[in-house]
Amino acid sequence: MPTRLAGIVDAAVVRHGNHGYASPVMLVHAATAPNAVLRALPALPQTLWAPSLAATWAATAAVTAAYAPAEARLAPSAGTNLSLDAVMRRATDTGDAHAIKFVDAVSDTYTRSGDPALLAVAARSSEQIAAG
């Protein structure tokens, strides 16, 4: 179950990189909501794990369907000067809670994959989110 939830988070983070431009704040929730459930999962009785996964999947799919544009844009290229700490600092410097939560979700995805392109997604997305 945790692996499936992590997969939803990871897919939403990646998708934000090339679809988030249209509604950056609303599409943040496609990644941050399942990430919150993933973190809370160990505290829940296992009888609630499957319903939590189902609700998370439905919410993420609904947010994506409602706010994602039909056309993708190129995801940002991985930057050699980006680190997870630098990207998080940039997000916190914006003072925008959605940017901070999104980069926090990206940090979990990055930890699972090690893909440096995710740092570029986090940097660009947090700027788009903060710009409103």
Side-chain angles (χ1 to χ4, degrees), residues 3-32:
T3 302
R4 288 184 181 184
L5 275 169
I8 293 169
V9 174
D10 298 349
V13 163
V14 169
R15 187 168 181 85
H16 201 285
N18 52 24
H19 288 82
Y21 71 90
S23 187
V25 172
M26 289 309 296
L27 287 169
V28 158
H29 299 101
T32 60

Side-chain angles (χ1 to χ4, degrees), residues 77-124:
S77 301
T80 56
N81 62 340
L82 293 175
S83 69
L84 187 53
D85 286 344
V87 172
M88 182 56 83
R89 198 168 24 260
R90 288 165 85 174
T92 56
D93 286 349
T94 70
D96 186 283
H98 288 94
I100 295 166
K101 289 187 300 184
F102 182 71
V103 174
D104 180 58
V106 172
S107 73
D108 291 345
T109 296
Y110 177 72
T111 299
R112 285 189 285 276
S113 74
D115 182 357
L118 294 171
L119 299 177
V121 167
R124 181 172 78 182

Side-chain angles (χ1 to χ4, degrees), residues 42-67:
L44 296 176
Q46 285 198 342
T47 56
L48 294 179
W49 286 21
S52 296
L53 173 65
T56 299
W57 171 252
T60 298
V63 167
T64 300
Y67 295 100

